[in-house]
């Protein structure tokens, strides 16, 4: 699986859209996601480290995928997703794995997850617009009630995009206003901290 950097945007979404369009990027994809997170029943979020809680989790993902012809018409896809991550002490993702399958009915997916011994943890909604130019794609994420993010993934078969350091350099070269203190922002971690502190 490819690796990625995710950084917080330090300006408005419209400013990012304008900046990328002025640099020759155009919209290549657009989708909305609702992620419902599930963790094992025996995990106490008040007692375990956030990194440990988010090492393994299951999602019900509701995707509204916009059609590229006009990015107005859309269709819906429901997925059952299992994610596991190995995270270094600096927050970088050493290894990650994802398994997913399309499901027809959300209710049946929830029943299946709960039968495996998982409880619902939280829900995160986001609207994503993907800007592309040549082989480079930047996912601009408007996360509801949270920080706006940019995500870029490595590409093993592309020498310009095959390492985390090269992705960081691209963000710098594009002069995108970001919070450069963290290149591995995790939206689930941000929302889980809020949940624990409330």
């Amino acid at each position: 699986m490819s690796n990625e950097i995710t950084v917080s945007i330090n300006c408005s979404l419209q400013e990012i859209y304008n900046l990328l369009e002025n640099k020759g990027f155009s919209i290549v994809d657009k989708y909305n996601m609702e992620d419902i997170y599930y963790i094992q029943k025996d995990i106490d979020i008040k007692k375990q480290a956030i990194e440990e809680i988010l090492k393994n989790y299951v999602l019900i993902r509701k995707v509204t995928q916009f059609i590229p012809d006009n990015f107005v018409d859309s269709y819906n896809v429901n997925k059952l997703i299992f994610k596991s991550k190995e995270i270094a002490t600096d927050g970088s993702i050493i290894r990650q794995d994802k398994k997913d399958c399309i499901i027809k009915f959300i209710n049946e997916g929830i029943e299946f997850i709960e039968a495996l011994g998982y409880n619902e943890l939280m829900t995160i909604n986001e609207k994503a617009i993907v800007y592309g130019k040549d082989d480079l794609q930047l996912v601009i994420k408007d996360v509801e009630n949270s920080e706006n993010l940019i995500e870029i993934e490595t590409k093993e078969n592309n020498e310009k995009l095959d390492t985390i350091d090269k992705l960081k350099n691209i963000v710098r070269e594009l002069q995108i206003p970001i919070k450069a203190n963290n290149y591995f922002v995790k939206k689930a971690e941000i929302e889980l901290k809020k949940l624990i502190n409330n």
Side-chain angles (χ1 to χ4, degrees):
M1 187 175 180
S2 61
N3 216 329
E4 65 191 37
I5 62 170
T6 305
V7 290
S8 295
I9 299 168
N10 213 9
C11 65
S12 73
L13 288 169
Q14 193 57 56
E15 286 174 285
I16 284 290
Y17 303 151
N18 293 343
L19 183 148
L20 292 175
E21 286 166 16
N22 289 336
K23 291 181 183 285
F25 284 80
S26 57
I27 298 174
V28 296
D29 195 10
K30 187 176 176 183
Y31 56 88
N32 297 340
M33 289 193 317
E34 178 183 352
D35 284 344
I36 308 168
Y37 286 71
Y38 290 83
I39 57 171
Q40 292 175 339
K41 283 181 181 176
D42 59 353
I43 293 175
D44 184 341
I45 64 169
K46 299 283 188 185
K47 293 181 180 175
Q48 274 194 279
I50 288 174
E51 297 79 18
E52 287 298 312
I53 295 167
L54 295 175
K55 268 189 178 176
N56 297 294
Y57 55 88
V58 180
L59 295 175
I60 293 278
R61 174 168 285 170
K62 303 176 193 177
V63 181
T64 302
Q65 178 65 58
F66 293 93
I67 297 167
D69 291 345
N70 56 19
F71 293 114
V72 174
D73 298 323
S74 64
Y75 60 92
N76 296 321
V77 178
N78 301 319
K79 291 183 177 182
L80 186 60
I81 299 172
F82 173 77
K83 283 194 175 188
S84 63
K85 294 182 181 184
E86 186 179 342
I87 299 168
T89 51
D90 67 351
S92 62
I93 299 167
I94 299 167
R95 182 195 59 78
Q96 60 180 335
D97 192 30
K98 180 174 99 168
K99 306 290 182 199
D100 65 69
C101 65
I102 293 173
I103 57 173
K104 194 168 185 180
F105 301 110
I106 292 290
N107 291 354
E108 290 178 357
I110 292 170
E111 286 175 14
F112 184 81
I113 291 170
E114 290 177 347
L116 291 173
Y118 285 77
N119 278 342
E120 184 177 334
L121 177 66
M122 61 186 174
T123 299
I124 299 177
N125 292 292
E126 74 175 52
K127 295 176 181 176
I129 298 178
V130 184
Y131 278 87
K133 180 183 177 185
D134 302 323
D135 289 338
L136 178 61
Q137 291 191 350
L138 303 156
V139 185
I140 313 302
K141 299 184 170 216
D142 176 4
V143 184
E144 189 176 278
N145 300 318
S146 192
E147 297 186 35
N148 297 320
L149 308 170
I150 294 180
E151 181 183 283
I152 315 172
E153 289 190 0
T154 56
K155 294 185 180 179
E156 291 176 16
N157 57 349
N158 185 324
E159 287 185 12
K160 294 179 182 176
L161 305 170
D162 62 358
T163 70
I164 291 295
D165 285 334
K166 288 176 184 176
L167 298 184
K168 289 179 181 179
N169 286 335
I170 286 167
V171 172
R172 289 186 202 108
E173 286 167 14
L174 289 171
Q175 297 179 325
I176 297 172
I178 60 162
K179 297 176 184 173
N181 61 329
N182 185 358
Y183 282 89
F184 303 99
V185 175
K186 297 163 195 72
K187 62 184 178 184
E189 194 173 292
I190 293 168
E191 295 310 304
L192 184 51
K193 280 179 184 171
K194 290 181 191 174
L195 190 66
I196 291 168
N197 293 329
N198 284 342

